[in-house]
């Protein structure tokens, strides 16, 4: 069966009446089926206090290609789960019933884990969902003139801006190699971010810490003087907001550094008020992040720590959201581990507390949780708005675009990233989108790499395939997050190697074609509701190509992504809803507008990788 012939529903405006309904409402839901698909009945199955109940749907629109069915979903629980049962009056018993879930169509009974869901909790703010996020690792982004006047701290190993990065974990210089980038250096280069199409600036931590990454904070009460101190952060905030952009901070709620004032007090005196803020053992040892003694783990079950860190107007979360810093929200470091240790699990309580505190300070804050695993149980709607989507986006894309000879190292697994064919990658996309839920996935970050992983250029192995990955980043549901340097083709075999300084004085070494592609993709996403809020209907997949439609009432787009050259692809014009065909963007070549001949729209063959977008 053509993928366009599959029955379809998702959480976008064409299919779901209200994205965030009020508890107790009844909302309309719609299903699309092909006119020649022998569907005679559609039943909406939801759960009422965990008991399955069924509601009949009826056909409301029909033409020679498509039938639209509509039903009513009672939103009885804060997060309502639902699926559709499709019945056929004629056919063999094995073929007369199918389930439609968020993971696709099934002819067997499947668990509820992939059901559609609608959450009554407020959505992420528009700026967080519609923007383009740019991650900056301050030590490696840019040095202002003032940086030369600051002495190198005793813990640091000084490096010249063009020195090679030390990146092996066995080398003690890896966390201490110090290039000296600062926050005024970021301000100096905001025009570059504007050229790329950025609207959200996210920096890794700015609190003092005896490392180049600063995830081992020694205090949360001030900005590292090596970055320019509080005044520099206020200047960055003002400059970002003057452009109409937003600023995100990076907060580690899971641990502090071992030089943090709270920990020093706790370790020096067993009777200290902060002793219970950490997990000390009887012998004086303590729990820490992944065995790193410099990162003692916080005990967020302690109410006094909660008040200091995440709850209320005097908490760390709240203070930095107020003037003069006016941070617009937080990326929460290792959010998956926050509040979890053995039998202790207050992770959801912490996530809710962070969000409540942020919402009390600002009308539209964003809270994103870092999660390098299955985040589905942590993003139902009242805590983290979304996640850094490694599992549902990064790893499937990496496994599709990876150059078999790439030296890039896998992130979090002992074997190299496999190279997989399109149908297997499509299964990953569908299952993870289903597992997260439409809205949470749409609010999460599509990342091709970060300061913790290899660079996408190194994974892909070529500029053309890198641009294919970028095309998917901007055209699939989710918010694109670039790690500074992606747009000019910086490389890195693992996270620490990816933290190479931005080569501002060597622009001749930049990949200007890729830079132009990122800017064009950001503009397309800004200009087309379909790429920010539209549905996702798969049209074609083979080993080397994905073709899909992003649907929205204001206009729909057809996207073709190829990791290698391939033949022409024919699509049924009626099922596509074809009516335009003009070109929006191409990462390679000069494509012609699409046309329909004898009911078929032909996506042209290509001799090389690329991404092409047309209006349909």
């Amino acid at each position: 069966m053509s993928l366009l012939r599959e029955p379809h529903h998702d959480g976008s405006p064409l299919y779901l009446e209200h994205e965030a309904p009020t508890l107790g409402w009844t909302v309309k839901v719609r299903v699309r089926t092909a006119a020649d698909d022998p569907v005679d009945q559609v039943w909406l199955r939801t759960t009422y206090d965990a008991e399955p109940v069924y509601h009949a749907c009826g056909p409301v629109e029909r033409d020679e290609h498509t039938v639209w069915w509509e039903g009513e979903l009672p939103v009885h629980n804060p997060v309502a789960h639902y699926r559709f049962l499709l019945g056929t009056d004629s056919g063999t018993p094995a073929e007369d019933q199918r389930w439609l879930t968020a993971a696709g169509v099934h002819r067997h009974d499947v668990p509820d884990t992939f059901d559609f869901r609608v959450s009554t909790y407020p959505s992420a703010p528009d700026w967080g969902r519609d923007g383009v996020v740019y991650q900056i690792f301050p030590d490696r982004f840019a040095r202002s003139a003032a940086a030369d006047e600051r002495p190198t701290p005793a813990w640091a190993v000084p490096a010249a801006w063009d020195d090679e990065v030390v990146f092996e974990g066995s080398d003690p210089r890896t966390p201490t190699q110090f290039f000296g980038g600062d926050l005024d250096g970021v301000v100096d280069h905001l025009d570059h971010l504007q050229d790329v199409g950025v609207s959200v600036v996210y920096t890794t931590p700015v609190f003092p810490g005896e490392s180049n990454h600063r995830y081992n904070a020694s205090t949360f009460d001030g900005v590292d003087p090596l970055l320019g101190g509080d005044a520099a952060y206020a200047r960055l905030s003002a400059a970002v907001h003057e452009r109409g952009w937003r600023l995100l901070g990076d907060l580690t709620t899971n641990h502090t550094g071992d030089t943090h004032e709270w920990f020093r007090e706790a370790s020096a005196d067993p009777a200290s008020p902060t002793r219970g803020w950490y997990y000390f053992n009887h012998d004086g040892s303590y729990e820490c992040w992944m065995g790193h003694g410099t990162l003692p783990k916080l005990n967020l079950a302690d109410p006094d720590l909660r008040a200091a860190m995440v709850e209320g107007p005097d908490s760390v979360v709240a203070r930095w959201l107020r003037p003069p810093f006016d941070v617009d929200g937080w990326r929460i470091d290792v959010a998956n581990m926050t509040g979890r240790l053995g039998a202790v699990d207050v992770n959801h309580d912490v996530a809710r507390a962070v969000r409540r505190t942020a919402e009390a300070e600002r009308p539209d804050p964003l809270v994103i949780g870092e999660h390098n695993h299955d985040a589905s149980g942590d993003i139902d709607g009242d805590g983290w708005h979304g996640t850094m989507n490694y599992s549902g986006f990064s790893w499937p894309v990496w496994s599709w675009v990876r150059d078999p000879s790439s030296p890039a190292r896998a992130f979090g697994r002992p074997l190299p990233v496999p190279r997989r064919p399109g149908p297997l990658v499509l299964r990953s996309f569908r299952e993870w989108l289903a597992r997260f839920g439409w809205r949470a996935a749409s609010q999460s970050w599509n990342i091709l790499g970060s300061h913790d992983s290899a660079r996408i250029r190194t994974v892909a192995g070529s500029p053309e395939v890198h641009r294919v990955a970028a095309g998917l980043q901007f055209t699939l549901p989710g918010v694109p997050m670039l790690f500074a340097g992606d747009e000019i083709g910086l490389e890195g075999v693992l996270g620490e190697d990816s933290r190479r300084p931005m080569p501002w004085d060597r622009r001749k070494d930049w990949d200007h074609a890729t830079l132009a592609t990122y800017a064009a993709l950001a503009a397309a996403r800004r200009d087309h509701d379909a790429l920010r809020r539209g549905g996702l209907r798969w049209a074609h997949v083979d080993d080397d190509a994905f073709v899909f439609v992003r649907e929205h009432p204001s206009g729909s787009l057809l996207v073709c992504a190829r990791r290698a050259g391939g033949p022409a692809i024919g699509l049924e014009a009626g099922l596509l809803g074809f009516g335009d065909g003009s070109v929006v963007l191409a990462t390679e070549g000069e494509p012609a507008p699409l046309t329909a001949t004898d009911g078929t729209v032909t996506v042209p063959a290509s001799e090389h990788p690329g991404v092409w977008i047309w209006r349909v």
Side-chain angles (χ1 to χ4, degrees):
M1 177 186 290
S2 162
L3 294 180
L4 286 172
R5 290 185 166 273
E6 289 185 343
H8 185 72
H9 171 86
D10 59 41
S12 67
L14 283 176
Y15 298 91
L16 180 66
E17 181 183 22
H18 293 288
E19 177 185 80
T22 298
L23 189 64
W25 281 10
T26 297
V27 299
K28 293 178 181 177
V29 294
R30 286 158 60 98
V31 173
R32 178 204 297 262
T33 63
D36 56 1
D37 187 349
V39 177
D40 299 300
Q41 302 177 55
V42 175
W43 292 87
L44 168 67
R45 195 208 79 173
T46 186
T47 51
Y48 188 97
D49 298 332
E51 179 68 19
V53 293
Y54 290 82
H55 304 274
C57 301
V60 292
E61 294 179 40
R62 182 189 298 268
D63 61 27
E64 61 180 311
H65 305 290
T66 303
V67 181
W68 286 90
W69 304 76
E70 188 173 284
E72 294 190 336
L73 171 67
V75 185
H76 175 70
N77 300 107
V79 179
H81 295 249
Y82 63 100
R83 62 169 67 183
F84 299 94
L85 178 62
L86 312 180
T88 300
D89 293 339
S90 59
T92 65
E95 297 176 341
D96 61 5
Q97 292 185 22
R98 290 170 288 169
W99 290 111
L100 172 60
T101 74
V105 180
H106 315 274
R107 292 193 178 274
H108 64 287
D109 293 324
V110 293
D112 291 5
T113 188
F114 293 141
D115 278 4
F116 300 104
R117 70 194 69 179
V118 60
S119 173
T120 61
Y121 300 109
S123 303
D126 287 346
W127 66 264
R129 297 181 66 182
D130 295 338
V132 174
V133 183
Y134 193 84
Q135 181 193 30
I136 291 174
F137 191 86
D139 184 59
R140 311 290 166 83
F141 186 71
R143 287 172 63 96
S144 72
D148 294 335
E149 302 170 7
R150 301 184 189 113
T152 301
W155 57 262
V157 177
W161 198 252
D162 289 330
D163 283 355
E164 288 189 11
V165 169
V166 177
F167 62 85
E168 295 292 359
S170 58
D171 192 321
R173 297 172 298 166
T174 295
T176 60
Q177 189 182 29
F178 181 73
F179 286 84
D182 61 3
L183 297 175
D184 284 320
V186 178
V187 174
D188 291 342
H189 292 281
L190 291 181
D191 284 348
H192 171 75
L193 275 63
Q194 183 146 344
D195 291 342
V196 176
V198 170
S199 60
V200 180
V201 178
Y202 151 51
T203 73
T204 55
V206 298
F207 304 114
E210 295 184 351
S211 68
N212 50 42
H213 53 73
R214 297 184 172 87
Y215 283 101
N216 55 339
S218 58
T219 184
F220 296 122
D221 289 342
V223 173
D224 194 337
L226 296 170
L227 294 175
D230 290 3
Y233 201 38
R235 287 192 292 271
L236 173 62
S237 177
V240 166
H241 290 119
E242 282 171 6
R243 293 172 182 258
W245 302 350
R246 300 294 183 128
L247 178 65
L248 272 183
D250 195 332
L251 183 62
T252 303
T253 52
N254 179 72
H255 54 262
T256 66
D258 62 345
T259 60
H260 196 284
E261 55 210 8
W262 298 345
F263 185 76
R264 283 183 167 176
E265 180 182 347
S267 58
D269 181 6
S272 164
T274 66
R275 183 78 171 187
W277 295 13
Y278 297 89
Y279 292 95
F280 281 95
N281 301 315
H282 293 301
D283 61 359
S285 63
Y286 52 89
E287 296 291 339
C288 50
W289 180 77
M290 302 299 287
H292 293 277
T294 58
L295 303 174
K297 185 173 177 68
L298 289 166
N299 174 18
L300 284 153
D302 186 292
D304 292 333
L305 173 62
R306 293 263 280 269
M309 192 74 182
V310 299
E311 291 181 340
D314 296 326
S315 66
V316 176
V317 165
R319 294 199 309 270
W320 292 89
L321 304 185
R322 297 195 289 265
F325 309 109
D326 282 314
V327 174
D328 293 288
W330 293 104
R331 176 265 194 187
I332 302 297
D333 183 52
V334 288
N336 53 319
M337 300 183 73
T338 291
R340 288 180 170 136
L341 180 68
V344 175
D345 189 345
V346 293
N347 183 275
H348 284 229
D349 293 338
V350 172
R352 295 184 189 108
V354 171
R355 181 156 160 186
R356 282 196 307 268
T357 300
E359 289 173 344
E361 296 295 332
R362 302 189 72 83
D364 57 352
L366 178 70
V367 182
I368 291 288
E370 181 198 16
H371 209 302
N372 186 28
H373 183 48
D374 185 348
S376 55
D378 295 343
I379 49 176
D380 274 344
D382 58 345
W384 323 126
H385 287 111
T387 183
M388 298 179 75
N389 194 2
Y390 288 109
S391 295
F393 181 80
S394 309
W395 308 152
V397 172
W398 275 28
S399 68
W400 191 58
V401 303
R402 183 182 185 273
D403 179 349
S405 64
S406 171
R409 303 182 195 175
F411 180 24
R413 67 177 71 182
L415 298 176
V417 175
R419 180 175 169 88
R420 294 190 173 111
L424 276 182
V425 176
L426 175 60
R427 183 171 179 177
S428 286
F429 281 145
R430 281 181 153 173
E431 290 185 358
W432 282 108
L433 181 58
R435 192 78 178 97
F436 282 13
W438 178 265
R439 194 181 79 180
S442 299
Q443 296 174 172
S444 293
W445 288 355
N446 289 347
I447 51 180
L448 293 173
S450 72
H451 71 291
D452 284 326
S453 76
R455 288 273 187 180
I456 184 59
R457 171 57 65 86
T458 304
V459 173
S462 75
E464 295 79 12
V465 179
H466 173 182
R467 293 192 283 269
V468 171
L472 292 173
Q473 183 179 32
F474 280 80
T475 59
L476 286 172
V479 179
M481 188 216 84
L482 288 63
F483 179 31
D486 284 349
E487 73 277 14
I488 60 172
L490 287 193
E491 297 206 37
V493 301
L494 81 172
E496 286 78 4
D497 185 33
S498 297
R499 304 170 189 178
R500 301 180 187 182
M502 283 286 285
W504 297 110
D505 295 332
R506 292 184 283 109
R507 293 182 184 242
K508 62 180 177 53
D509 296 334
W510 292 14
D511 179 350
H512 291 278
T514 296
L515 175 59
T517 294
Y518 273 94
L521 286 165
R525 190 172 186 275
R526 181 190 64 234
D527 294 342
H528 294 275
D529 295 332
L531 294 180
R532 292 179 281 106
R533 301 301 181 97
L536 171 65
R537 196 155 55 104
W538 295 98
H540 170 86
V541 60
D542 58 45
D543 284 0
D544 297 324
F546 288 117
V547 182
F548 53 91
V549 189
R550 296 300 308 274
E551 300 176 303
H552 192 271
S554 66
S556 299
L557 301 177
L558 181 71
V559 180
C560 174
R562 297 181 186 268
R563 70 178 182 183
I569 299 167
L571 305 173
E572 294 178 75
L575 291 172
L576 189 61
F578 184 74
D580 188 338
S582 58
V583 178
V584 172
L585 180 149
T587 65
E588 312 294 334
E590 305 252 347
L594 296 179
T595 59
T597 303
D598 297 329
T600 298
V601 173
T602 301
V603 176
S606 176
E607 296 180 356
H608 43 70
V611 172
W612 300 269
I613 306 175
W614 296 270
R615 294 179 181 86
V616 293

